[in-house]
Amino acid sequence: MASAAIDIIDNYFTCEFTTIARDGSPQTWPVSPRLLDDGRFLTATSIGLPQKAYNIRRNPRVAMLFSEPTGSGIAKPGAVLIQGDATADDRIVSDVSSEPELASLAQTLFTRQPAGALWSTPLGRRLWWSYYMRILIYVTPRRALYWPTRDFTSQPEELALNEVRRVG
Protein backbone atom coordinates (compact mmCIF):
# COMPACT_ATOMS: atom_id res chain seq x y z
CA MET A 1 0.00 0.00 0.00
CA ALA A 2 2.70 2.54 0.97
CA SER A 3 4.89 1.59 -1.98
CA ALA A 4 1.92 2.13 -4.32
CA ALA A 5 1.39 5.57 -2.78
CA ILE A 6 5.07 6.44 -3.22
CA ASP A 7 4.87 5.30 -6.87
CA ILE A 8 1.97 7.69 -7.38
CA ILE A 9 3.81 10.58 -5.70
CA ASP A 10 6.98 9.90 -7.69
CA ASN A 11 5.37 9.30 -11.09
CA TYR A 12 2.28 11.50 -11.43
CA PHE A 13 3.36 14.60 -13.32
CA THR A 14 1.35 17.02 -11.18
CA CYS A 15 -0.85 17.22 -8.15
CA GLU A 16 -3.59 19.66 -7.23
CA PHE A 17 -2.04 21.97 -4.62
CA THR A 18 -4.64 23.77 -2.50
CA THR A 19 -4.08 26.73 -0.19
CA ILE A 20 -6.56 28.87 1.70
CA ALA A 21 -7.22 32.36 0.28
CA ARG A 22 -7.63 35.48 2.39
CA ASP A 23 -11.44 35.08 2.33
CA GLY A 24 -11.20 31.44 3.49
CA SER A 25 -11.96 29.88 0.13
CA PRO A 26 -9.70 27.19 -1.36
CA GLN A 27 -7.34 28.10 -4.21
CA THR A 28 -5.91 25.25 -6.25
CA TRP A 29 -3.04 25.09 -8.75
CA PRO A 30 -1.31 22.25 -10.57
CA VAL A 31 2.23 21.80 -9.22
CA SER A 32 4.96 19.18 -9.54
CA PRO A 33 6.29 18.62 -6.03
CA ARG A 34 9.27 16.51 -5.03
CA LEU A 35 9.18 14.16 -2.04
CA LEU A 36 12.33 14.81 -0.02
CA ASP A 37 14.33 12.30 2.01
CA ASP A 38 13.02 13.70 5.30
CA GLY A 39 9.37 13.14 4.31
CA ARG A 40 8.59 16.77 3.44
CA PHE A 41 7.58 17.90 -0.04
CA LEU A 42 9.22 20.69 -2.00
CA THR A 43 7.58 22.83 -4.61
CA ALA A 44 8.23 26.41 -5.62
CA THR A 45 6.51 29.42 -7.03
CA SER A 46 7.76 32.22 -9.22
CA ILE A 47 8.07 35.72 -7.80
CA GLY A 48 5.88 36.72 -10.75
CA LEU A 49 3.06 34.49 -9.44
CA PRO A 50 3.46 34.56 -5.63
CA GLN A 51 -0.16 33.95 -4.55
CA LYS A 52 0.65 30.48 -3.16
CA ALA A 53 3.30 32.01 -0.89
CA TYR A 54 0.96 34.81 0.25
CA ASN A 55 -1.75 32.30 1.13
CA ILE A 56 0.67 30.01 2.99
CA ARG A 57 2.03 32.88 5.06
CA ARG A 58 -1.53 33.74 6.17
CA ASN A 59 -2.65 30.13 6.69
CA PRO A 60 -0.13 27.25 6.45
CA ARG A 61 -2.72 24.49 5.97
CA VAL A 62 -2.46 22.95 2.48
CA ALA A 63 -3.49 19.85 0.60
CA MET A 64 -1.89 18.02 -2.32
CA LEU A 65 -4.07 15.59 -4.28
CA PHE A 66 -2.23 13.25 -6.65
CA SER A 67 -5.16 12.11 -8.79
CA GLU A 68 -4.27 12.40 -12.49
CA PRO A 69 -2.19 9.50 -13.85
CA THR A 70 -1.84 10.70 -17.48
CA GLY A 71 1.71 10.03 -18.64
CA SER A 72 2.76 8.38 -15.39
CA GLY A 73 3.12 4.85 -16.74
CA ILE A 74 1.29 3.41 -13.71
CA ALA A 75 -0.83 0.47 -14.85
CA LYS A 76 -3.34 0.54 -11.97
CA PRO A 77 -3.57 4.19 -10.94
CA GLY A 78 -4.82 5.26 -7.56
CA ALA A 79 -4.84 8.58 -5.74
CA VAL A 80 -3.02 10.05 -2.77
CA LEU A 81 -4.09 13.02 -0.67
CA ILE A 82 -1.49 14.72 1.50
CA GLN A 83 -2.76 17.21 4.08
CA GLY A 84 -0.14 19.26 5.85
CA ASP A 85 1.43 22.50 6.89
CA ALA A 86 3.49 24.57 4.48
CA THR A 87 6.14 27.21 4.83
CA ALA A 88 7.16 29.66 2.13
CA ASP A 89 10.79 30.75 2.37
CA ASP A 90 11.47 34.45 2.86
CA ARG A 91 14.42 34.32 0.48
CA ILE A 92 14.30 34.22 -3.30
CA VAL A 93 16.40 31.64 -5.12
CA SER A 94 17.58 32.83 -8.53
CA ASP A 95 19.84 29.89 -9.42
CA VAL A 96 18.04 26.54 -9.25
CA SER A 97 21.38 24.71 -9.22
CA SER A 98 22.40 26.49 -5.98
CA GLU A 99 20.02 24.36 -3.88
CA PRO A 100 20.45 20.57 -4.33
CA GLU A 101 16.78 19.84 -3.53
CA LEU A 102 15.58 22.52 -5.95
CA ALA A 103 18.01 21.28 -8.62
CA SER A 104 16.54 17.80 -8.19
CA LEU A 105 13.03 19.21 -8.55
CA ALA A 106 14.08 21.13 -11.67
CA GLN A 107 15.54 17.97 -13.19
CA THR A 108 12.26 16.16 -12.51
CA LEU A 109 10.36 18.96 -14.26
CA PHE A 110 12.64 18.98 -17.31
CA THR A 111 12.29 15.20 -17.61
CA ARG A 112 8.49 15.40 -17.42
CA GLN A 113 8.16 18.50 -19.60
CA PRO A 114 11.02 18.46 -22.14
CA ALA A 115 9.44 21.27 -24.17
CA GLY A 116 10.01 23.55 -21.17
CA ALA A 117 13.77 23.24 -21.70
CA LEU A 118 13.49 26.18 -24.13
CA TRP A 119 12.88 28.45 -21.14
CA SER A 120 16.22 27.36 -19.66
CA THR A 121 18.21 28.60 -22.62
CA PRO A 122 19.84 32.05 -22.39
CA LEU A 123 17.08 33.44 -24.65
CA GLY A 124 14.31 31.86 -22.57
CA ARG A 125 15.81 33.10 -19.30
CA ARG A 126 16.13 36.61 -20.75
CA LEU A 127 12.52 36.67 -21.96
CA TRP A 128 11.01 35.22 -18.79
CA TRP A 129 13.60 36.00 -16.12
CA SER A 130 11.07 36.26 -13.27
CA TYR A 131 10.07 32.60 -13.71
CA TYR A 132 13.49 31.49 -12.47
CA MET A 133 13.37 33.64 -9.35
CA ARG A 134 11.71 31.11 -7.06
CA ILE A 135 10.20 31.09 -3.59
CA LEU A 136 10.64 27.63 -2.11
CA ILE A 137 7.63 26.00 -0.48
CA TYR A 138 8.04 23.08 1.93
CA VAL A 139 5.09 20.94 3.01
CA THR A 140 5.22 18.84 6.17
CA PRO A 141 2.56 16.11 5.92
CA ARG A 142 0.11 15.74 8.81
CA ARG A 143 -2.16 13.15 7.16
CA ALA A 144 -1.94 10.88 4.11
CA LEU A 145 -4.86 9.10 2.47
CA TYR A 146 -4.72 6.54 -0.33
CA TRP A 147 -7.39 5.38 -2.80
CA PRO A 148 -6.19 2.27 -4.67
CA THR A 149 -8.63 2.82 -7.58
CA ARG A 150 -9.34 6.59 -7.68
CA ASP A 151 -12.93 5.79 -6.64
CA PHE A 152 -13.46 8.77 -4.37
CA THR A 153 -16.83 7.44 -3.23
CA SER A 154 -14.98 4.66 -1.39
CA GLN A 155 -13.34 5.03 2.01
CA PRO A 156 -9.61 5.83 1.62
CA GLU A 157 -6.88 4.02 3.50
CA GLU A 158 -4.99 6.20 5.95
CA LEU A 159 -1.23 5.81 5.64
CA ALA A 160 1.23 6.13 8.48
CA LEU A 161 3.30 9.22 7.81
CA ASN A 162 6.55 7.33 8.23
CA GLU A 163 5.46 5.21 5.24
CA VAL A 164 5.15 8.29 3.03
CA ARG A 165 8.82 9.13 2.88
CA ARG A 166 11.75 8.33 0.74
CA VAL A 167 13.98 5.59 2.04
CA GLY A 168 17.51 6.49 0.97
Side-chain angles (χ1 to χ4, degrees):
M1 163 170 65
S3 64
I6 297 295
D7 283 347
I8 288 168
I9 290 167
D10 282 344
N11 291 298
Y12 281 22
F13 284 20
T14 61
C15 74
E16 296 83 38
F17 184 77
T18 302
T19 63
I20 306 297
R22 181 187 316 232
D23 66 2
S25 64
Q27 284 190 315
T28 303
W29 297 269
V31 300
S32 292
R34 173 113 175 120
L35 177 59
L36 303 175
D37 291 339
D38 64 6
R40 294 179 305 154
F41 289 82
L42 171 64
T43 191
T45 192
S46 165
I47 64 165
L49 303 166
Q51 192 61 51
K52 289 187 278 294
Y54 293 157
N55 289 352
I56 288 165
R57 288 176 181 151
R58 275 193 302 275
N59 186 334
R61 294 179 300 154
V62 299
M64 297 184 303
L65 178 63
F66 296 82
S67 66
E68 178 51 58
T70 301
S72 69
I74 294 180
K76 294 183 179 180
V80 175
L81 173 65
I82 302 293
Q83 296 171 320
D85 298 316
T87 58
D89 269 3
D90 289 331
R91 65 194 172 97
I92 296 170
V93 177
S94 60
D95 179 4
V96 296
S97 65
S98 68
E99 300 283 330
E101 293 170 339
L102 184 57
S104 180
L105 175 60
Q107 185 55 48
T108 299
L109 292 173
F110 292 143
T111 300
R112 291 178 178 170
Q113 301 170 6
L118 165 68
W119 297 108
S120 293
T121 65
L123 175 62
R125 290 176 71 85
R126 185 178 179 109
L127 291 173
W128 202 15
W129 59 269
S130 65
Y131 180 78
Y132 288 93
M133 299 190 78
R134 311 299 286 175
I135 300 169
L136 303 184
I137 296 170
Y138 292 92
V139 177
T140 301
R142 299 290 177 228
R143 186 174 186 205
L145 302 175
Y146 170 64
W147 288 265
T149 63
R150 292 189 312 144
D151 175 6
F152 294 107
T153 63
S154 68
Q155 190 68 22
E157 300 171 30
E158 188 152 359
L159 302 173
L161 292 178
N162 65 345
E163 294 180 295
V164 184
R165 62 181 333 143
R166 200 164 301 297
V167 177

